[in-house]
Amino acid sequence: MLHSGMLARHLSVTAQEAGLGLLLGGTLGTLAGLGLGLSPRVSRALMPLMTGLNGLPKLALGPLFIIWFGMGLSSKVLISALMVFFIFAFNLYTGVQSVDPALVGAVRLLGGTQGQILGKVIWPACLPWLLTSLRTGLGLSLSGAIVGEYLGSTRGMGWLLSAAGDVFNAQRVLCCVLILVILIILLDGVVRLLEARLLRWR
């Protein structure tokens, strides 16, 4: 698999799907979490709906994404994004809620604008929550991409696992699983380094 280029070809497809899904789901989830945290009325109206949607079996929605968006890159990215969206949204919402109201009031009393409060008080307080979401989202985005490939694809690590399982090729299945585990460990190490640097900056 390594010498023939098969591994690199399929791994690059899955990494692209998972990376785009993490970027899309993480961005939308971060914005949603900040918006809900900063708007009490909106959060009271939407949090029950968000909680209900989060309880849905997301993997079971995969076939709908394949039907709606086809078997190409788009459906895999959207499945991956859905897997991570709620993690970011709920964590950032909790991060905003954990900010000390007295600190916000003190900055506002000293003439701080809403933008300054967001950039110098709320966002630094939410940074650990964001990094926690990123670490959790790495595995979830990869899982979403692989599930999408299982459901309908002709390439990627999920397709490779499915094809190997169909012919009971346990050696190839275990090889693919090991590669994915190593990939997650390496990515988690990168996020840990990023976390250490950002928290020192904060």
Side-chain angles (χ1 to χ4, degrees):
M1 289 172 63
L2 183 62
H3 290 297
S4 67
M6 178 190 296
L7 179 61
R9 186 167 63 251
H10 290 288
L11 188 59
S12 63
V13 171
T14 301
Q16 181 185 16
E17 294 165 351
L20 291 174
L22 181 62
L23 179 62
L24 177 62
T27 302
L28 294 178
T30 299
L31 294 175
L34 289 174
L36 291 171
L38 294 172
S39 304
R41 289 184 179 180
V42 176
S43 65
R44 283 195 297 269
L46 294 184
M47 280 304 289
L49 177 62
M50 293 275 290
T51 303
L53 292 175
N54 185 45
L56 289 175
K58 301 172 190 63
L59 300 183
L61 298 176
L64 290 177
F65 284 86
I66 300 294
I67 294 170
W68 291 338
F69 302 102
M71 296 176 60
L73 179 70
S74 300
S75 58
K76 315 304 185 302
V77 170
L78 290 173
I79 294 171
S80 180
L82 182 64
M83 295 288 289
V84 303
F85 171 80
F86 292 99
I87 295 293
F88 278 84
F90 285 121
N91 279 352
L92 267 295
Y93 173 76
T94 304
V96 174
Q97 295 298 305
S98 67
V99 176
D100 187 0
L103 181 59
V104 175
V107 174
R108 186 174 284 117
L109 186 64
L110 292 171
T113 64
Q114 185 63 32
Q116 290 173 324
I117 292 172
L118 181 62
K120 296 183 178 296
V121 179
I122 295 176
W123 182 248
C126 291
L127 191 58
W129 296 92
L130 178 65
L131 293 171
T132 299
S133 302
L134 182 59
R135 290 182 60 189
T136 307
L138 282 173
L140 289 175
S141 64
L142 193 60
S143 298
I146 290 173
V147 166
E149 292 166 355
Y150 252 100
L151 295 174
S153 183
T154 57
R155 54 184 183 168
M157 295 300 291
W159 176 84
L160 203 59
L161 279 165
S162 177
D166 289 342
V167 296
F168 303 103
N169 189 341
Q171 185 179 17
R172 178 166 291 183
V173 170
L174 291 174
C175 177
C176 292
V177 170
L178 179 61
I179 290 166
L180 292 172
V181 169
I182 293 173
L183 178 62
I184 288 293
I185 291 173
L186 291 175
L187 292 174
D188 185 69
V190 172
V191 175
R192 284 178 181 271
L193 291 175
L194 178 64
E195 182 178 10
R197 289 179 178 274
L198 288 177
L199 291 181
R200 279 203 300 268
W201 165 79
R202 188 185 73 131

